Amino acid sequence: MIRRVLAALAWLFDRPAPHRPAVDDTVFDIPACPGDPSPQQLVELQGLCLQWLVMWCWYRREYMAIARFDTATPILFDAHPQRLVYACRTAELAVVV
C-alpha cells in the first residue's frame, strides 16, 4: 500500500509540467519579471494616469489603479506599467459622456 502511494507521488513529481501558452508581450517590449518599482517610477505612472489612483500591491506583485470617476471597471490590476496605462486609457474612452 505504501509502495503504491510513494509510486503515485513519484509519478506526480516526475511528470512534465503542463504547457501554458506564452503571453504575447512583444507588442509592449516588456521584461519577463518586473521588480518593485521605485518612487520615481510610481510618480511617472501616476502622471500618465491622472484620472486614476495608482499604487503598487507588494503582496500581489502588481500595480493597482482605482478609478476616480464612474466606470464599469473601477479597479484594474497589471504587473506591467505599459499594459496598466493602456487598460486605464481604454476604460476612460469607454465611459459615455
Side-chain angles (χ1 to χ4, degrees), residues 59-76:
Y59 181 75
R60 292 178 61 140
R61 311 292 294 165
E62 291 181 317
Y63 291 97
M64 177 175 66
I66 301 172
R68 295 181 180 177
F69 58 96
D70 189 25
T71 181
T73 54
I75 301 175
L76 301 174

Side-chain angles (χ1 to χ4, degrees), residues 20-42:
R20 293 186 181 141
V23 178
D24 184 22
D25 287 339
T26 58
V27 175
F28 297 106
D29 192 24
I30 297 173
C33 182
D36 287 346
S38 67
Q40 292 81 14
Q41 290 172 328
L42 282 173

Side-chain angles (χ1 to χ4, degrees), residues 5 53 85:
V5 171
L53 174 64
V85 171

Side-chain angles (χ1 to χ4, degrees), residues 38-50:
S38 67
Q40 292 81 14
Q41 290 172 328
L42 282 173
V43 167
E44 181 182 354
L45 188 58
Q46 182 65 56
L48 292 172
C49 304
L50 294 176

Side-chain angles (χ1 to χ4, degrees), residues 15-21:
R15 69 180 183 167
H19 175 69
R20 293 186 181 141

Side-chain angles (χ1 to χ4, degrees), residues 4-18:
R4 288 183 186 167
V5 171
L6 291 176
L9 286 175
W11 177 78
L12 282 175
F13 289 118
D14 288 340
R15 69 180 183 167

